[in-house]
Structures are given as structure tokens and as C-alpha cells.
Amino acid sequence: VRVRPGHELVVTTDLLIEGRHFRRGADPRALGHKALAVNLSDLAAGGATPRWAMLAIALPRADATWLRGFSTGFFALARRHGVDLIGGDTTRGPLAIDITAFGEAPAGQALSRAGARAGDDIWVSGALGGAALALRRPQLKAASRRLHRPEPRVALGQRLRGLAHACIDVSDGLASDLGHILERSRVGALVHYEAIPKDASLREIKNSSLERRCVLSGGDDYELLFTAARAVRSRVESLSRKLHLPLTRIGEIVARRGATVVDGEGRPIWFRHGYDHFA
Amino acid sequence: VRVRPGHELVVTTDLLIEGRHFRRGADPRALGHKALAVNLSDLAAGGATPRWAMLAIALPRADATWLRGFSTGFFALARRHGVDLIGGDTTRGPLAIDITAFGEAPAGQALSRAGARAGDDIWVSGALGGAALALRRPQLKAASRRLHRPEPRVALGQRLRGLAHACIDVSDGLASDLGHILERSRVGALVHYEAIPKDASLREIKNSSLERRCVLSGGDDYELLFTAARAVRSRVESLSRKLHLPLTRIGEIVARRGATVVDGEGRPIWFRHGYDHFA
């Protein structure tokens, strides 16, 4: 394949294992979607335009129905984002799916976790906590869609080039993924819990401790978390309107290492000193 | 990462599963070497110069000794070929290793399985059958090295640009991999069994049926199999001397589809009609 002249290559790989990342008997169509979606989400966080993917898959047996479902989910999302499947590998084994996705960004403009600066606003797209709630309450249909059919924020990622200082997708949970930005950027953060956009399904539960776990530590939302200078606040807000996608300021980057989440009265409800040994 | 201007990107991925591609308890150092080697071998078959790799790995547990061994094997080979590890993924699960390797070739010069033409010589590097014999007779030390520490023919692959019409690495076995060239190139082949260079360890066994199975159907040798015009015969021979690597003519490409292997008297000892449904 050929990378467009003047562009750099952004690549990512994600290994999904049955019993760890998805349940045995998971809907193959949702799986085909999600296996690609998590990789496109990584490309989005890199500010890249998706181009190609490779699929390496281990299957316990060649089950035509399963393969048809998986392919349908995979290719529907691939087509929507102009992604060509250019190769891969198939073998027999316990169900495991490894997708490598390739994207392009104009040279020097790819986004990374490094680059956040003290004084930056911290932004998040969409709403958090829905996927984590769906894991715990599978009967909640709307939340379940967040878990099984995440929508990678590809258009947003590309528009954040030249605007965001640092970017990551929320795959492990807000606290953990913010930690990756803080560690690589060598800065700290103050986050306002009340400001965090929460998935609508969380309103149905009356359990503030469960809500906090879902919002702060729940993964699988695949929203973008990014930092940007205060000076571009209005540009981010205008981008939100253009994309019909909520973009919410949830806090600010500070010079002092570590992260603190405060409640409406400014009381710390979660904190971590530094991130050097974040696991 | 940035691809050199005027170059195209050659990518490959290989998924190795414990119990299928290697035994439980396999030496982690040999495994680190081989997991990368099989990918570099694919790049070599594409005529590419290796540049980068990503490693996705599922591990049942974090075993420091195992990881040290694996890393030693992986990085020794990576350094030798100037390959940088640029990313990857780690997760808990049954041992599975997926490496994606990236290489470059001047635009339009990458090699592929398509392109073989009637009248081409068929060439193979090194010697075949050693790895397959090692699987059946683990006590044979020399053969065992072929199986566990294959040497990807990276320098050869790059020198075949502009010289070979089609190229593949012998990973599934001569008959099978030649079949891939024939299928993609829409041609046939006549192979002279006596001409095929056989691993020295095969001399120790006095079993011509086992020898044939190892030479024709044994995989894991990771030699390059390529076709080139008769007119460049002397250039291939001179390349062999330059690289101190045997390159042997084993037959010729013919217009009629299918493949035939003949013995010293010209009697067919193996054949296949067409390759359209080759499995």
C-alpha cells in the first residue's frame, strides 16, 4: 500500500480474547463491529484518517454462520469509514481476534498522549459510564448498545489535529486513560465530577457509588478525552455543534503531578499521586 | 512513523497459538526469535526492507523469566535487521503471539505471488525439509535449528527486486507455497525432484517416503521460492555467490495450469490439477 505523500502513518493493534474481552457465545456481528471499532477509536485518538486494516483470527472451527455474522459487522463499519481489509492470518485455536489498523495524518500533525500543558482545558466527547453499567446490568438496552456497538469518534479525531494538545480514547476508564496523558505529558489534572457527562442510563440507577465506578473507572466507552488551550475553547464548542456531538469541559491540566476529582463542593472524591507506576 | 518518500509500505501479520504453532513449554527465546522471523520472512518474500514491528501478546501470567527469554530472542533478531518495536498490546489469556511487521520497497517494486510467466525458471534458496524432519525426529540437532531458529532471507528478498517475477516464502511446504504462486499467476509448473536442495539432515534417514513428505509438504523452512526469466539466470547465480547462499533451479513455469513433480527418469511422483480450490 502507499501512504499519501506528505503524510505519516498511524498504526495500532488490539488483541481480543474470548472469555476476557467478550463472553463465549457473544453475537458475532457485534464482535466484528467492536473488534474494528476499538482500533478505529485508537486511530481517531491519533488524529488519523483510517485507511486499511489487517485481521488475524484464531477460530475453534470454521462456522459459516458465525463467520457471516462477524464479516457483516466488520465490513459495515469498515465501509462506513473507507477502510480496506488488506491482509491477515487465519488459524485454528481458542477464539482470538487481532486487528491492526492503519491511518494517515499530515506529517507532524498526528495526536498523541504527550503534549498536555498546564492551563489546558480537559474535554471529553459524548457521555461516559454506559458501557460499564451494561456489563453490570445487561438488561439495560441503551447502555448495552454502548458496550457492544461503540461508535469510534473518527471525524472528531481528524478535526482535533492542530487543536488538541493531547488525546486518548476512553477504553480503560476515565481515571486510567487520563492517567496515560498525565504520565506522558508530565503534568497533573483537576477534574470536576459534576461536569463529567454521564450516560443517560445511569439516571435509572440510584446508587451513587456504582455510578462513580462506572463514570471514573468503567472502560469501553470509546469516547475521546483530549486537552486543548483555553484560547481555543470557542473553536472546540463550534466543532461540537458542527459534528452534532457533545464536547464537554470536565477540568483542567495543572503543573503539579497527580490527579484529583472533586465533587460539587470542591471536596476530593478520588485522587492519585503521580502516575509513574500507574497500572 | 514515516515511510520514506517514493516508497510503498509492505505489511504482514502472523498469529502463533500455543499447542498449534509451538508446544506448551517451548523455549521462550527461540519463540521470540521465530515469532519475528516468520514475519520478516514474509517481508523478504515481498522484497521489502524491514523497518518496524508491533507485538500483540496474550499471556496466561506475567512470568519474568519467560518474558526475559522471549524479549532476548525477539530483540536480537530485530536489532540485526534494524527493526524498531513501535507498539502493540498485552492481555491475559491462553498464550498467543501476533506480530505485525512493516517494511518498505521503492514504489512499484515490491514482489508478490502474482507475476510468474511461462518459461520462467523456478528457484529456491538454501535447502528444504529440515524443519519438517525436526518435527518428526526431535533428536536431530541440526534439523532442530532449522525448525526453531529460522533465518529470514531478508537480504535475498531485497536483491530480488527487479529480478524475480513472483516470490513467496516456504512456510506451508514447497507444494503448497508453489501452489499459491501458480494460482495467483494463473500458470502451471514442472518441478524436478532430484534438483530440489535437501537439508543435510535428510541424508541421515533412509526412508524415501518420509524424505519426500518433508521436502514437498514440510513447512517451516522459511526459504524463498521465486521465479525469474531464463535470461537472468546468470544474474541469479552471481547473486547466490555474493550472498553466500545457495540458490537452486528446481524446475520451470509452464502455461498449462497445475503442478507436476518428476523423478530423475521424468516419471511423475506428485501432481495436482489446477490450484483454484487449493486448501
Side-chain angles (χ1 to χ4, degrees):
Chain A
V1 294
R2 296 197 194 175
V3 176
R4 243 172 297 187
H7 284 64
E8 57 197 13
L9 184 68
V10 177
V11 289
T12 184
T13 191
D14 237 88
L15 178 56
L16 302 181
I17 304 281
E18 184 179 70
R20 178 135 192 106
H21 300 96
F22 56 91
R23 286 172 202 186
R24 178 183 284 267
D27 172 24
R29 191 164 166 173
L31 208 51
H33 172 95
K34 186 163 179 177
L36 180 59
V38 300
N39 281 284
L40 296 188
S41 178
D42 267 331
L43 292 186
T49 306
R51 292 291 308 273
W52 310 291
M54 290 201 299
L55 167 65
I57 189 164
L59 294 161
R61 69 199 156 278
D63 173 339
T65 306
W66 192 94
L67 287 167
R68 201 155 32 233
F70 184 86
S71 300
T72 302
F74 179 96
F75 284 110
L77 184 64
R79 262 191 304 272
R80 203 134 51 76
H81 291 286
V83 170
D84 286 330
L85 182 67
I86 58 167
D89 193 14
T90 51
T91 185
R92 192 184 292 268
L95 186 55
I97 303 160
D98 189 283
I99 289 180
T100 302
F102 305 72
E104 294 170 334
Q109 289 187 41
L111 302 174
S112 82
R113 299 167 182 192
R117 302 172 205 168
D120 275 4
D121 293 321
I122 302 171
W123 297 83
V124 69
S125 67
L128 300 182
L133 183 63
L135 264 180
R136 292 165 175 86
R137 304 278 165 86
Q139 71 278 16
L140 298 171
K141 290 278 178 251
S144 169
R145 198 171 165 81
R146 290 304 309 247
L147 178 61
H148 297 298
R149 307 277 299 189
E151 207 44 63
R153 300 306 188 188
V154 171
L156 173 60
Q158 294 174 56
R159 303 298 286 267
L160 289 178
R161 297 197 291 241
L163 196 58
H165 285 157
C167 188
I168 193 170
D169 64 326
V170 182
S171 56
D172 295 337
L174 176 63
S176 174
D177 292 313
L178 176 58
H180 293 309
I181 286 184
L182 302 182
E183 185 182 3
R184 291 290 309 282
S185 301
R186 314 189 126 262
V187 289
L190 177 67
V191 171
H192 308 280
Y193 184 79
E194 299 297 325
I196 302 172
K198 297 160 192 79
D199 192 86
S201 58
L202 285 164
R203 274 185 230 127
E204 298 180 33
I205 60 159
K206 305 281 171 250
N207 179 335
S208 66
S209 148
L210 172 61
E211 184 201 276
R212 283 182 186 176
R213 275 207 308 282
C214 289
V215 170
L216 295 178
S217 314
D220 274 327
D221 283 317
Y222 299 100
E223 294 295 347
L224 292 189
L225 175 70
F226 59 97
T227 84
R230 296 178 68 136
V232 300
R233 217 174 254 187
S234 65
R235 282 176 62 197
V236 175
E237 284 160 354
S238 127
L239 179 56
S240 169
R241 287 187 296 274
K242 226 174 273 170
L243 296 176
H244 305 286
L245 175 66
L247 299 177
T248 310
R249 272 190 294 123
I250 62 167
E252 47 273 348
I253 296 293
V254 298
R256 189 193 167 86
R257 307 290 287 272
T260 308
V261 179
V262 296
D263 67 12
E265 277 81 48
R267 287 181 303 237
I269 58 173
W270 187 92
F271 66 93
R272 186 177 288 271
H273 293 297
Y275 268 100
D276 284 337
H277 299 280
F278 193 89
Chain B
V1 293
R2 297 199 194 172
V3 176
R4 243 172 297 187
H7 284 64
E8 57 197 13
L9 184 68
V10 178
V11 289
T12 182
T13 192
D14 236 89
L15 178 56
L16 302 181
I17 304 281
E18 184 179 70
R20 178 134 190 106
H21 300 97
F22 55 90
R23 286 173 200 184
R24 178 183 284 268
D27 172 24
R29 191 164 166 172
L31 208 51
H33 171 95
K34 186 164 179 175
L36 180 58
V38 299
N39 281 284
L40 297 188
S41 179
D42 267 331
L43 291 186
T49 306
R51 292 291 307 274
W52 309 292
M54 290 202 298
L55 167 65
I57 189 164
L59 295 161
R61 69 200 156 277
D63 173 339
T65 307
W66 192 95
L67 287 167
R68 202 155 32 235
F70 184 87
S71 300
T72 302
F74 179 96
F75 284 110
L77 183 64
R79 264 191 303 274
R80 204 135 50 76
H81 292 286
V83 171
D84 286 331
L85 181 67
I86 57 167
D89 193 13
T90 52
T91 185
R92 191 182 293 268
L95 185 55
I97 303 159
D98 189 283
I99 290 179
T100 302
F102 305 73
E104 292 170 336
Q109 290 187 40
L111 301 173
S112 82
R113 299 167 182 191
R117 303 172 205 168
D120 276 4
D121 292 321
I122 302 171
W123 297 83
V124 69
S125 68
L128 300 182
L133 183 62
L135 264 180
R136 293 165 174 87
R137 305 277 165 87
Q139 71 278 14
L140 297 171
K141 290 280 178 247
S144 168
R145 200 172 164 79
R146 290 304 309 249
L147 178 63
H148 298 298
R149 307 277 298 186
E151 206 46 63
R153 302 303 188 190
V154 171
L156 173 61
Q158 294 174 56
R159 303 298 284 269
L160 290 178
R161 297 197 292 242
L163 196 58
H165 285 158
C167 188
I168 194 171
D169 64 327
V170 183
S171 56
D172 294 337
L174 176 64
S176 173
D177 292 314
L178 176 59
H180 293 309
I181 286 183
L182 301 183
E183 185 181 2
R184 290 291 308 282
S185 300
R186 317 188 125 262
V187 290
L190 176 68
V191 171
H192 306 280
Y193 184 79
E194 300 296 325
I196 302 172
K198 296 159 193 82
D199 192 84
S201 58
L202 284 163
R203 274 185 230 127
E204 299 181 33
I205 59 159
K206 306 278 171 252
N207 179 335
S208 66
S209 147
L210 172 60
E211 184 199 275
R212 282 183 186 174
R213 275 207 308 282
C214 289
V215 170
L216 295 179
S217 314
D220 273 328
D221 283 319
Y222 299 101
E223 296 294 349
L224 293 189
L225 175 71
F226 59 96
T227 83
R230 295 178 68 136
V232 299
R233 218 175 252 189
S234 66
R235 283 176 62 198
V236 175
E237 284 160 353
S238 127
L239 179 57
S240 168
R241 287 187 296 273
K242 228 175 270 167
L243 296 176
H244 305 287
L245 175 66
L247 298 177
T248 310
R249 271 189 293 122
I250 63 167
E252 48 273 348
I253 296 294
V254 298
R256 189 192 166 86
R257 306 290 288 274
T260 308
V261 179
V262 296
D263 67 13
E265 277 82 50
R267 287 182 300 240
I269 58 174
W270 186 93
F271 66 92
R272 185 178 288 270
H273 293 298
Y275 267 100
D276 283 337
H277 299 280
F278 194 88

